[in-house]
Amino acid sequence: MYLPTPQDLRERRNALGLTQSELAERAGVSQPLIARIEGGDVDPRLSTLRHIVEALDEAAGDVVRGRDLMHEAVVSVAPSDRVHDAVERMQEAGYSQLPVIADGVPVGSISEGDVVHAGGDIGDDPVRAVMSESFPTVSPDATLEEISSLLDHYTAVIVTEDGDTVGIITQADVAAQIS
């Protein structure tokens, strides 16, 4: 893990044309703290350093956020929808899984694998009978790094704002951003 030196921070701030006050405001810290860090007088907490580096990255246009990656049109099903309808919707959309959303809130997910493992004649059963856990949720302000970390363990992430689903991000969306 690379940690910038006080000189690195000062040089990067100057290269971006930011004053200490502007950087402090963007990072949510005080200007005197920025001055003391750049002067080498203070060893900041890792969380403080992270806020400063993220503020510099954002000023440079290097930060990709959830709102930049997400698809606003979320293809989903309700827990009360029939399994047959969920499978049909997956096939029409070309997806192997869908979020299950009730009143704008993610409550689970359903995949082709869930349907296969349930077996039998389940086409008329409600989705809630075969659904799996919900995809994790992030805010539109979540960084690419935070989203990628979740996508190491899940195939999709739901973007929520004020409790409502506003988008979805899949592993393919992040891969497209990187390439």
Side-chain angles (χ1 to χ4, degrees):
M1 174 188 204
Y2 168 75
L3 294 176
T5 66
Q7 182 177 345
D8 293 338
L9 293 173
R10 181 177 42 255
E11 288 174 1
R12 186 149 185 231
R13 177 183 58 76
N14 287 331
L16 291 169
L18 294 174
T19 65
Q20 288 180 344
S21 295
E22 291 168 334
L23 177 56
E25 185 176 326
R26 288 173 179 252
V29 299
S30 68
Q31 180 275 325
L33 179 59
I34 296 289
R36 292 175 63 205
I37 292 170
E38 287 183 354
D41 300 331
V42 169
D43 220 1
R45 293 187 343 229
L46 184 57
S47 60
T48 302
L49 185 59
R50 178 187 223 159
H51 289 301
I52 294 168
V53 170
E54 284 178 358
L56 289 167
D57 288 347
E58 196 146 353
D62 293 342
V63 175
V64 176
R65 302 239 178 236
R67 73 173 54 84
D68 304 320
L69 295 169
M70 73 181 191
H71 294 277
E72 292 181 21
V74 179
V75 178
S76 65
V77 293
S80 59
D81 289 349
R82 295 180 325 147
V83 171
H84 171 76
D85 296 332
V87 170
E88 196 172 274
R89 190 163 298 151
M90 280 189 262
Q91 291 172 342
E92 288 171 357
Y95 299 139
S96 61
Q97 63 200 355
L98 295 175
V100 180
I101 298 177
D103 298 321
V105 178
V107 295
S109 64
I110 185 168
S111 69
E112 292 171 342
D114 293 330
V115 174
V116 169
H117 288 103
D121 185 19
I122 59 167
D124 288 328
D125 290 353
V127 166
R128 78 171 57 81
V130 297
M131 71 183 190
S132 296
E133 69 178 323
S134 181
F135 300 123
T137 60
V138 296
S139 79
D141 291 326
T143 64
L144 175 59
E145 182 180 339
E146 294 165 336
I147 293 164
S148 294
S149 177
L150 288 169
L151 290 174
D152 285 343
H153 306 284
Y154 300 91
T155 54
V157 175
I158 301 291
V159 183
T160 60
E161 192 166 37
D162 298 325
D164 291 326
T165 299
V166 296
I168 188 167
I169 303 168
T170 65
Q171 292 170 335
D173 299 322
V174 172
Q177 178 68 32
I178 293 170
S179 52

